[in-house]
Amino acid sequence: MKICDVKVIVCSPGRNFVTLKIVTDEGVYGIGDATLNGREKSVVSYLEDYIAPALLGKDPHRIEDIWQYFYRGAYWRRGPVGMTAIAAVDTALWDIKAKVAGLPLYQLLGGRSRDKIMVYTHANGADIASTLDAVGKAVEQGYKAIRVQSGIPGVNSTYGVAKAGQKYEPADADLPTETVWSTEKYLNFTPRLFAAVREQYGDDLHLLHDVHHRLTPIEAARLGKALEPFHLFWMEDPVAAENQQGFKLIREHTTTPIAVGEVFNSIHDCQALIQNQWIDYIRSTVVHAGGITQLRRIADLAALYHIRMGCHGATDLSPVCMGAALHFDYWVPNFGIQEHMPHSELMESVFSVSYKFDDGYFTPGEAPGHGVDINEDLAKKYPYKRACLPVNRLEDGTLWHW
């Protein structure tokens, strides 16, 4: 079996997705997600100009060798563009291998370690009252774990909170929107938000919160300490992770569990965090961390230090990534939770899926491969539209973490 064709499919059924399709001379093909939110075309170029020509003629079953070939052979290693491209190739090759075997992907990874996969959804509102309503709707849908975000009094726009009457989409404009942020208003408000959620919905619901990298370590420590009475499942991305030592200070001051990793591209980005046990959950995802091959290595390292997986699962990752992630979740021994932001009906008209949701849990399905495919003809009806993530400034105009 040889690779005879490689296609890069770009479409925008409500938001931009990049999909890689690898076709073999025996007619079997595999699909991989290559979406990098706000920078999609950079990955398209990397795939079309450098990776696709080098894939032709290769044996698709040599997944590990191909992964090493593109990682080590490029000389310029890591980074979001290169690792997203490698992840797309890796996911598509695992899809092919599982289809040839006639098995769902999780069986090739070692079989399932659980019966179902707990997911968390998002509940957000303009204020505490509307956020409580959103939490209630999620509970009615069966979710056992909910990420809670709210607009902040005195702050006009809050990242992670949808505009009135709209679905939340972080890439919200052709060019970056500039928003204003107040750390002190946020720190004063957030404990009140979670006090209200616990008062209305009790202690059994798993609650999560995303800080979006907006704090310094000591500010994050203050927030974690203030949230301890509400026993969060996790506090996500409390600080920017370029300086991994920052998490040491947070850990020394609070017992609120810490999650990070959706912007990580390789095992090296989280090595110190894991080995020093400065985090509790690693959130790296299939599409941005080099595919299933690299994510398995991250999971194995994390397991040695009592750290669990909690893969990113926002709608800027296509259904292809969600399908692959669920097979990974089904297998990985040190599973924690899976993020789930439902894709729209329009998005799922372009992608067919075999995974199922029921009462707060997912199963990946039993179709051979990862169970997700793309309708190429329908995808052509939704051309790419440039969309950028917002830029954040403090109230005095200082550029800050988004």
Side-chain angles (χ1 to χ4, degrees), residues 318-331:
S318 88
V320 178
C321 183
M322 185 65 179
L326 289 170
H327 282 272
F328 173 84
D329 296 336
Y330 222 28
W331 158 76

Side-chain angles (χ1 to χ4, degrees), residues 120-122 147 168-170 313-316 322 339-343:
Y120 72 91
T121 192
H122 294 195
R147 195 191 87 168
Y168 171 58
E169 169 54 57
T315 47
D316 58 321
M322 185 65 179
E339 182 178 17
H340 175 232
M341 284 180 68
H343 291 100

Side-chain angles (χ1 to χ4, degrees), residues 5 47 64 92 106 240 273 307 344:
D5 192 17
L47 285 167
E64 182 66 42
Y106 74 84
L273 291 168
I307 293 166
S344 68

Side-chain angles (χ1 to χ4, degrees), residues 15 102 120 151 156 159 163 178 261 268 276 301 360 364 383:
R15 64 119 28 250
Y120 72 91
N156 290 332
Y159 188 83
K163 296 177 181 177
E178 291 199 15
H268 305 288
N276 289 291
L301 176 63

